[in-house]
């Protein structure tokens, strides 16, 4: 797993560090490799947070939950209220894992 470089933290640009929605989206690049993108969203707008090469296990709920948890910790656990993923079964299960680990995040 190798996160891509980020142009700096985006969270201080939001008006409030609380009330963030974490969005995870998976796709494949031109070489057919799985990639996960993460965005932090508020009512004031959204910011790209990171893109991760997901070739190491993007089809498992535990891997996805670990990736979500890493971004949640980077943003700040108290800042994230909600997470959004697609409806694939591993994503649903990853969401359930995060909800168990962090009951304040829905």
């Amino acid at each position: 797993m190798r996160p891509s470089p980020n142009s700096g933290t985006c969270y201080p640009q939001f008006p409030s560090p609380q009330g963030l929605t974490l969005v995870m989206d998976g796709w494949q690049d031109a070489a057919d490799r799985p990639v996960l993108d993460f965005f932090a969203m508020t009512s004031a707008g959204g910011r790209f947070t990171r893109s991760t090469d997901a070739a190491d296990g993007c089809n498992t709920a535990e891997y996805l939950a670990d990736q979500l948890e890493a971004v949640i910790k980077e943003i700040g656990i108290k800042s994230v209220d909600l997470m959004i993923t697609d409806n694939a079964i591993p994503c649903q299960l990853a969401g359930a894992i995060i909800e168990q680990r962090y009951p304040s995040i829905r």
Side-chain angles (χ1 to χ4, degrees):
M1 171 189 74
R2 176 182 274 170
S4 67
N6 193 346
S7 60
T9 182
C10 64
Y11 319 111
Q13 298 173 6
F14 285 115
S16 168
Q18 295 181 326
L20 290 173
T21 297
L22 176 61
V23 179
M24 178 182 76
D25 185 38
W27 57 284
Q28 293 182 337
D29 68 10
D32 211 27
R33 295 175 299 220
V35 177
L36 295 174
D37 287 338
F38 297 90
F39 303 87
M41 309 293 289
T42 70
S43 59
R47 301 285 190 275
F48 172 81
T49 59
R50 104 167 38 169
S51 184
T52 301
D53 175 356
D56 293 340
C58 67
N59 293 331
T60 68
E62 191 64 37
Y63 176 85
L64 295 172
D66 290 345
Q67 297 304 306
L68 283 162
E69 183 174 35
V71 176
I72 288 167
K73 286 181 176 180
E74 182 180 315
I75 292 171
I77 295 165
K78 292 182 179 181
S79 296
V80 180
D81 290 340
L82 184 68
M83 64 185 161
I84 298 174
T85 67
D86 67 29
N87 205 26
I89 297 296
C91 292
Q92 291 178 31
L93 295 172
I97 291 168
I98 293 298
E99 289 175 0
Q100 280 184 326
R101 292 178 188 173
Y102 304 99
S104 65
I105 299 175
R106 304 179 301 271

